[in-house]
Amino acid sequence: MTAVTGFPGLAALAGLVRYQSALLLRSQRWIGPLLLYAAFLAAGIRPGEPVLDSLGWAAAGLVPVAAWLVRVCVTNEPAAARDCAAAAAGPVRVHAAALLTALGGALLAGAVAAAVVLLVGGRAGVPAGTAAGAAALAVPACALAGTAVGALGSRPLVRPTGFAVLAGGLGSLAALGLSGSPARGAVTALVAGSRTGTVATAGLAAATAAALALAWGAGAVACLVARRRG
């Protein structure tokens, strides 16, 4: 018996994540966020530029991308199919699976982008291991922050499409612009590290932990509302 199958709740959630992932791939609605991210990277990253600056740019772009992916995943199913899944596994697990699928997609896109940056970026004075470690903290911080924005700005909390798009856009700007935001903290640490040649690993780790707490809280609120409203 595996570790997952030993816990029926986790096994059900894992199955729902696989289902949501397959649904996302078949829908092709991931193409929009991916094209947005590719355009964002192309606009701000050039071969030979300081690697930490480029990593900061790549991480920052994940905030709106993750928020968009959340919107896609929580609205991907027809209402009847979503109701059937909720009846079988519970609305909380169904919504949590959609959020986890969106987060996984954002993390995958960020990992690929970070790998490209590490290959083409200029590492003058910055060891490869240090840059990779910084990416391993900054990418999740921004992906988690974007997932929190998407969770609070999408169904079931915000149902109309226009308002959801507005909430996602403004929330992403706030996540990157407000002082104290984990995403801004992660990006700022990378930019400052590029100037000084020293990465504030503790600051990056704190930003990632704060983003995890923020995403968990936002996801919990969204899941609880999903249980009440459906």
Side-chain angles (χ1 to χ4, degrees):
M1 180 179 294
T2 66
V4 172
T5 56
F7 297 90
L10 290 179
L13 183 60
L16 287 168
V17 169
R18 290 193 296 270
Y19 165 69
Q20 288 286 346
S21 300
L23 195 65
L24 176 62
L25 289 174
R26 287 199 303 268
S27 73
Q28 299 183 2
R29 294 178 67 193
W30 52 270
I31 294 176
L34 182 63
L35 288 178
L36 171 68
Y37 193 45
F40 186 85
L41 295 176
I45 295 177
R46 297 289 183 273
E49 289 186 347
V51 66
L52 293 181
D53 281 343
S54 296
L55 285 173
W57 184 267
L62 286 175
V63 176
V65 168
W68 190 351
L69 281 172
V70 168
R71 173 68 184 172
V72 168
C73 289
V74 301
T75 59
N76 226 3
E77 281 183 296
R82 184 169 60 246
D83 290 343
C84 289
V92 171
R93 288 196 188 99
V94 170
H95 200 75
L99 296 179
L100 289 172
T101 300
L103 174 61
L107 288 173
L108 179 59
V112 172
V116 172
V117 168
L118 291 172
L119 288 175
V120 305
R123 291 198 300 269
V126 181
T130 299
L137 291 171
V139 165
C142 290
L144 285 163
T147 301
V149 170
L152 295 176
S154 300
R155 193 195 68 81
L157 293 169
V158 181
R159 291 180 180 271
T161 300
F163 288 136
V165 171
L166 183 62
L170 293 178
S172 297
L173 289 175
L176 291 170
L178 290 180
S179 177
S181 163
R184 178 176 176 176
V187 173
T188 300
L190 289 174
V191 174
S194 180
R195 295 173 180 173
T196 63
T198 303
V199 179
T201 305
L204 277 173
T208 305
L212 178 61
L214 179 64
W216 186 91
V221 169
C223 288
L224 289 176
V225 174
R227 183 173 66 182
R228 292 177 62 88
R229 296 184 184 176

